[in-house]
Amino acid sequence: MKSAKWLSLLLCTGLALSAAGCGSSGNNDQQGASSAPGSTTESSAPEEGGAKPELRMLNIWSKDDYNSYPVAKVIEEQTGYKVKYEMLPADKAMDKLNLLISSAEPYDVITIGGDKAVYTDYAKMGALVDLTPLLDQYGEHIKAAVSEESLEAMKVDGKIYAIPNRSSEFAAMSLLIRQDWLDKLGLAVPTTTDELTEVLKVFKEKDPGGTGDKGAPMTIDGSIPMIPNLTGSFGISHGWDILDDKLVSTPQNPGFKEYLTYVADLYKQGLLDKEFAVNKDATVKEKFTSGRAGVIPLGWYDIPMIADALAQNLPDAKYTYIPALKGKDGKQGLGMGGGFDRITFVPKASKHPEDAVKWMNAKLEKETFKLISIGEENKHYTFKDGVYSPILPIFTDERGLAVNYLTGVDEQNYPIYWQARVQKDQRLFEAFNYLNNELPAEARVAEPLAMAPTLPEFSKNNAALGQMVNDFAVKVIVGEESVDAVEAFVGKYNAAGGEASYKEVNDWYSASAAK
């Protein structure tokens, strides 16, 4: 059976992570078959005018409960659908999602981050509902709001399996440093990798946090050993970067070895947290806000959380972003997002695939979308001289998390509404503005694969290859592997699909450039 096929593939390929064995639950076949894509014979959709079923949605992690946040009620009132919201964990979210998909957990709608490769894998394995016919039948507002280019990018073997949230291009991550530690020690914000090393050395020697051997000058999340900002100093701003008119993946980039050499040296000198390999995202933030680390990688969207925690724990603490660091040859680069920041699909196990599409369609009616995303004029925002500005604190209280409820965006108007969203917290706006307006344009590097179509080899290999790179990088940084092992690793990487992905990606890149 088809569902058994994708279940088996999911559990027994690289996408199925170690937590998943090759067993299967006994009812997967039945669940998968009962919700075949576009099926009308077994549809659970109500008759016109009948009661709407309660939908079950799985979403990305949030610090707040989706079910009690005000936007949930607004959506229910506007669409007529009651929705039970659940969320993925903050750490190892894909591990959890793989298990839920493989066990055919009957969610009606699932939203993940913008990892198209993961979505494509699920689609290829037959784990998702083909939305193409459902969009034709129930997706009037979706088709009006989401561009053909975006929907085209979602196609897998000519079929649309997901609704994307197209994102604006902006830099999201950089290194955050304790400004009060710099001031206390008479240091300037580092602008080069050499200056960063020197600052970390002084942090280690002078211990401005007063934590002794319980702290570390810099710490990172063990699952992300490729540190945002720092990688740009070595010519690596994305998973794939342009080099000599070719797209090269991280291990195929000569800067990979140089980067690992630099970070391994930080670790050896005690400038990088000795515990980083087991750190999770929350651990990193806790170490920074408790004074046990002076530098961490952080997205501007997390600034209010960090600022609040610092204010509570260390009222005199100040922080600032480190600019795009320059390496020895002047390279720098903060990777910009682009493409899609969220992807929403309907799993085969959904009990209500048609209603899931109807619900997403209703949310994208123009005025409904505006109400969901930024609220009511003169209550949540003002509009003057073409600019949307939030009314605080009610905007933050009632629309601050609205983005997490969006399953597709009004691509024409959402970038304008964004003016209000990014100003919902002055600290948030200042962090965003610094990375995206105050830093020179050359500090930011566009994602070259942002709008690439589905690339089968790339999609098939990307998750496993990415994990290979991360695992290898951690081993080199902690000294279990020598940096001289990079060449041998690249050979393994290429044999595991890296070479095939390189050919496919560059065939597309060359064809795109020729247009």
Side-chain angles (χ1 to χ4, degrees):
M1 293 182 183
K2 193 172 184 180
S3 61
K5 181 181 177 183
W6 69 254
L7 174 63
S8 177
L9 285 168
L10 188 64
L11 289 171
C12 300
T13 64
L15 183 62
L17 303 180
S18 57
C22 289
S24 63
S25 59
N27 61 351
N28 291 331
D29 292 345
Q30 183 179 358
Q31 287 174 314
S34 67
S35 54
S39 168
T40 55
T41 55
E42 298 184 55
S43 168
S44 59
E47 296 295 329
E48 196 68 34
K52 295 177 178 177
E54 179 176 291
L55 302 178
R56 187 181 179 202
M57 180 181 187
L58 180 66
N59 214 328
I60 60 176
W61 181 85
S62 170
K63 66 182 179 63
D64 294 281
D65 178 13
Y66 281 100
N67 295 289
S68 58
Y69 195 71
V71 172
K73 184 177 180 182
V74 172
I75 293 174
E76 181 178 341
E77 291 172 348
Q78 294 297 314
T79 68
Y81 282 98
K82 185 173 180 59
V83 178
K84 179 182 180 183
Y85 297 94
E86 298 172 39
M87 71 173 83
L88 290 163
D91 295 298
K92 298 185 181 301
M94 288 300 101
D95 291 29
K96 180 68 174 180
L97 180 60
N98 288 338
L99 289 172
L100 292 171
I101 292 287
S102 66
S103 61
E105 190 68 18
Y107 289 102
D108 296 301
V109 180
I110 297 177
T111 293
I112 63 172
D115 193 337
K116 201 166 63 175
V118 171
Y119 147 71
T120 303
D121 277 341
Y122 288 153
K124 285 278 189 182
M125 293 171 183
L128 308 184
V129 172
D130 173 15
L131 301 182
T132 315
L134 298 180
L135 289 176
D136 289 339
Q137 192 167 359
Y138 306 116
E140 174 188 2
H141 298 313
I142 294 174
K143 287 192 166 186
V146 181
S147 68
E148 286 188 19
E149 182 184 31
S150 295
L151 291 175
E152 188 69 26
M154 288 295 105
K155 285 186 176 177
V156 179
D157 297 333
K159 298 177 181 177
I160 300 170
Y161 290 92
I163 308 301
N165 288 19
R166 188 162 181 168
S167 60
S168 301
E169 285 193 342
F170 54 73
M173 299 280 292
S174 187
L175 291 170
L176 197 73
I177 191 168
R178 283 283 297 273
Q179 178 67 58
D180 56 311
W181 286 16
L182 294 171
D183 295 341
K184 183 176 182 180
L185 300 172
L187 300 171
V189 177
T191 60
T192 68
T193 50
D194 285 346
E195 290 177 4
L196 176 64
T197 303
E198 291 306 310
V199 165
L200 296 177
K201 284 181 179 176
V202 179
F203 279 4
K204 182 175 186 289
E205 180 184 352
K206 302 296 184 181
D207 187 21
T211 57
D213 59 4
K214 295 181 180 178
M218 180 168 73
T219 192
I220 61 174
D221 181 339
S223 67
I224 310 175
M226 304 303 293
I227 306 170
N229 192 338
L230 258 179
T231 57
S233 309
F234 299 90
I236 303 169
S237 299
H238 297 280
W240 290 76
D241 289 278
I242 301 171
L243 184 68
D244 298 330
D245 293 326
K246 294 287 186 182
L247 282 172
V248 296
S249 65
T250 294
Q252 296 165 337
N253 190 322
F256 184 52
K257 185 174 182 178
E258 298 170 6
Y259 169 81
L260 292 179
T261 301
Y262 175 80
V263 180
D265 185 58
L266 292 182
Y267 182 84
K268 188 176 180 180
Q269 294 186 63
L271 307 181
L272 177 64
D273 186 3
K274 291 291 185 186
E275 300 172 342
F276 89 86
V278 296
N279 280 350
K280 297 181 178 179
D281 177 70
T283 318
V284 171
K285 291 170 179 168
E286 191 279 329
K287 287 185 175 181
F288 188 80
T289 57
S290 65
R292 290 190 291 149
V295 180
I296 60 170
L298 194 79
W300 56 261
Y301 41 81
D302 278 335
I303 285 291
M305 179 196 308
I306 292 295
D308 288 344
L310 279 175
Q312 181 175 353
N313 299 333
L314 305 162
D316 295 328
K318 298 178 182 177
Y319 57 84
T320 192
Y321 267 126
I322 293 176
L325 293 165
K326 292 184 178 179
K328 289 181 178 178
D329 57 3
K331 289 179 182 175
Q332 63 175 165
L334 297 176
M336 286 198 296
F340 309 102
D341 61 14
R342 286 169 177 76
I343 294 174
T344 300
F345 49 78
V346 178
K348 275 283 185 64
S350 167
K351 294 181 178 178
H352 312 289
E354 294 180 6
D355 285 285
V357 173
K358 290 178 180 178
W359 177 66
M360 290 189 282
N361 184 65
K363 289 166 65 182
L364 277 168
E365 188 278 326
K366 274 189 180 297
E367 292 305 314
T368 300
F369 177 80
K370 188 175 184 179
L371 177 64
I372 292 171
S373 57
I374 59 172
E376 301 174 40
E377 186 172 5
N378 297 323
K379 177 182 179 182
H380 297 98
Y381 68 88
T382 59
F383 182 66
K384 184 178 180 182
D385 300 328
V387 176
Y388 289 91
S389 300
I391 296 174
L392 300 176
I394 191 171
F395 184 92
T396 301
D397 292 342
E398 297 189 356
R399 290 298 184 277
L401 298 177
V403 65
N404 285 349
Y405 291 83
L406 304 182
T407 49
V409 300
D410 179 340
E411 294 185 5
Q412 183 177 6
N413 291 303
Y414 193 53
I416 303 171
Y417 301 158
W418 234 77
Q419 299 168 40
R421 293 204 56 76
V422 80
Q423 295 179 71
K424 64 185 178 183
D425 186 301
Q426 186 60 24
R427 300 163 301 182
L428 189 79
F429 176 72
E430 289 173 357
F432 172 85
N433 191 51
Y434 175 74
L435 294 181
N436 290 282
N437 295 319
E438 294 182 15
L439 288 180
E442 58 266 28
R444 296 179 291 278
V445 179
E447 161 63 273
L449 290 176
M451 296 304 292
T454 297
L455 302 169
E457 285 295 332
F458 170 82
S459 299
K460 181 177 69 177
N461 299 321
N462 189 52
L465 291 177
Q467 192 62 52
M468 276 183 69
V469 173
N470 284 350
D471 292 346
F472 178 73
V474 169
K475 288 180 179 178
V476 172
I477 292 169
V478 303
E480 288 184 15
E481 290 269 16
S482 165
V483 290
D484 293 330
V486 167
E487 285 77 11
F489 172 74
V490 172
K492 295 177 183 176
Y493 173 92
N494 286 338
E499 187 172 2
S501 296
Y502 175 86
K503 182 181 184 308
E504 180 183 56
V505 165
N506 279 285
D507 285 348
W508 164 77
Y509 184 62
S510 299
S512 299
K515 289 182 180 177

